[in-house]
Amino acid sequence: MAARMWSSALTLCLLISALPGGEPAQPDPQYMMLVPTLIHGGQDAKLCFLLSHLNESISLSVTLELTNQNITLLDKEVTETDEDNCIAFQTPNIETSEVGFFALQADGDTLHFTKRRNVLLKLQQHLAFIQTDKAIYKPGQKVQFRIASLDENFLPVSEHFPVVFIENPQGNRIAQWLDVETHKGIVQESFQLTAEPIQGTYKVIASRNRGQRVEHVFSVEEYVLPKYEVQVKIPPILTIEDQEIQVTVCGKYTYGKPVLGLIKVRVCRKFQQSYTYCPGEEDAVCEELEHADDLA
Ligand SMILES: *[C@@H]1O[C@H](CO)[C@@H](O)[C@H](O)[C@H]1NC(C)=O
Ligand SMILES: *[C@@H]1O[C@H](CO)[C@@H](O)[C@H](O)[C@H]1NC(C)=O
């Protein structure tokens, strides 16, 4: 743990200080503190310090000073020297990013020192998005949706949404869930559409802490499946040499029965060279055929 802390030196700043005065025989008391220069709100963080050549016991306190609060990270009596100490702490949840200070204060009978170091406390920006199981729903169907939250490294995170709701095409809130939390990054909910809902575009909206929103749209439509399908097969290329053309048209109801119908075939040869301005030649040469039959 300590090794990781020390190796990420880029984000840390080092404070080394010799305390004033001292007898020549004994080295001066020294302290060293490693503090992060950037921390995220609502996360685990750590700072370490090392005290050496202490000649008296001191009371040591480390405070994280923010605009609206001071958080005491450490407040203890230190007698031993050459001991390195790390403090793990939870950073506060914040509304906006801010610059704060780590303040170290040590007081003994003769020793008194203070040091402040600024730290950027950054608002953690999670990504959140909503998915529905379909894009279009029919009346009476169940809309299943999930909300996913990821951190800046795309790892799932828990996020609390004060309210999640569904808005109909008229902008009215027709369902809502309070205090929705993504556990391990995901939360799933569902909503039953009525038999005769307003048709159109609906929205699933999740309001986040700090007033942001994420939304996703889906539509509700009364759609009917096609009752039959028609397959047409024609040759990819015809030449003027061809005497016959093989065209196959096949119509079938979805339950398998053939469809009765009329086939109209129009065969055209278009003039490619429209720059030959001979009158009438802009028109294609076409021939029409009709065939009424059972399309099977
Ligand atoms: C400890 O060291 C400081 C600085 O060197 C000195 O001023 C102080 O008198 C010493 N205290 C004791 C108790 O020796
Ligand atoms: C935090 O501590 C500092 C230094 O002691 C002080 O000036 C400040 O007023 C304190 N802030 C709050 C919000 O208590």
Side-chain angles (χ1 to χ4, degrees):
M1 273 299 152
R4 207 176 72 193
M5 184 82 190
W6 291 81
S7 67
S8 57
L10 276 181
T11 60
L12 300 171
C13 79
L14 200 62
L15 310 176
I16 303 178
S17 196
L19 299 169
E23 286 155 33
Q26 208 195 354
D28 287 338
Q30 285 189 327
Y31 72 93
M32 187 164 84
M33 185 164 73
L34 271 169
V35 294
T37 53
L38 168 78
I39 51 179
H40 285 115
Q43 284 199 336
D44 293 330
K46 203 166 156 188
L47 66 83
C48 297
F49 58 90
L50 174 70
L51 298 160
S52 49
H53 316 305
L54 272 192
N55 58 356
E56 62 184 37
S57 73
I58 52 167
S59 80
L60 181 71
S61 74
V62 180
T63 312
L64 175 58
E65 294 178 7
L66 300 174
T67 319
N68 298 318
Q69 57 178 330
N70 285 341
I71 301 162
T72 304
L73 304 176
L74 179 85
D75 194 1
K76 72 169 187 178
E77 204 67 25
V78 181
T79 46
E80 300 191 2
T81 88
D82 297 314
E83 182 191 343
D84 68 314
N85 291 285
C86 287
I87 316 163
F89 60 98
Q90 178 84 24
T91 60
N93 286 311
I94 44 165
E95 302 291 310
T96 50
S97 297
E98 63 171 294
V99 174
F101 296 92
F102 283 115
L104 178 132
Q105 172 133 16
D107 290 296
D109 287 339
T110 59
L111 295 174
H112 300 281
F113 57 92
T114 58
K115 192 79 193 178
R116 285 170 99 224
R117 258 299 179 216
N118 53 5
V119 55
L120 174 62
L121 186 56
K122 209 176 162 210
L123 187 66
Q124 184 75 289
Q125 286 288 19
H126 291 159
L127 304 168
F129 55 89
I130 305 173
Q131 288 178 311
T132 47
D133 62 333
K134 292 188 208 178
I136 305 170
Y137 295 87
K138 293 205 311 186
Q141 283 186 332
K142 198 188 228 180
V143 178
Q144 302 212 54
F145 64 94
R146 54 165 66 147
I147 307 172
S149 305
L150 301 173
D151 70 9
E152 287 165 333
N153 300 314
F154 301 108
L155 295 171
V157 281
S158 297
E159 182 173 349
H160 169 255
F161 296 89
V163 60
V164 175
F165 57 96
I166 294 190
E167 224 176 62
N168 73 6
Q170 297 173 332
N172 298 321
R173 193 176 289 202
I174 53 167
Q176 73 171 20
W177 295 262
L178 297 176
D179 296 317
V180 175
E181 184 117 22
T182 55
H183 298 288
K184 291 189 180 142
I186 289 241
V187 64
Q188 212 158 320
E189 294 289 352
S190 65
F191 172 69
Q192 182 67 49
L193 288 168
T194 59
E196 286 178 14
I198 300 171
Q199 294 187 30
T201 306
Y202 285 66
K203 277 182 189 169
V204 186
I205 299 169
S207 74
R208 311 179 75 176
N209 288 320
R210 301 183 286 274
Q212 299 160 295
R213 285 173 151 203
V214 271
E215 47 180 75
H216 181 80
V217 296
F218 64 88
S219 44
V220 175
E221 283 170 26
E222 183 70 79
Y223 63 94
V224 279
L225 284 171
K227 289 196 178 70
Y228 61 84
E229 66 166 3
V230 178
Q231 278 185 350
V232 180
K233 281 185 199 154
I234 51 166
I237 297 170
L238 290 176
T239 72
I240 48 170
E241 302 281 313
D242 288 324
Q243 298 292 313
E244 272 187 15
I245 317 165
Q246 184 81 36
V247 177
T248 320
V249 180
C250 184
K252 261 191 201 164
Y253 287 102
T254 44
Y255 52 83
K257 205 182 154 229
V259 176
L260 277 179
L262 175 70
I263 302 162
K264 275 191 187 173
V265 182
R266 189 171 137 96
V267 187
C268 294
R269 180 163 65 97
K270 284 187 183 148
F271 277 101
Q272 296 282 309
Q273 296 160 319
S274 53
Y275 54 82
T276 61
Y277 292 110
C278 304
E281 278 199 354
E282 303 87 1
D283 298 329
V285 175
C286 293
E287 202 169 317
E288 285 194 25
L289 305 156
E290 273 193 21
H291 182 69
D293 209 348
D294 191 321
L295 289 187

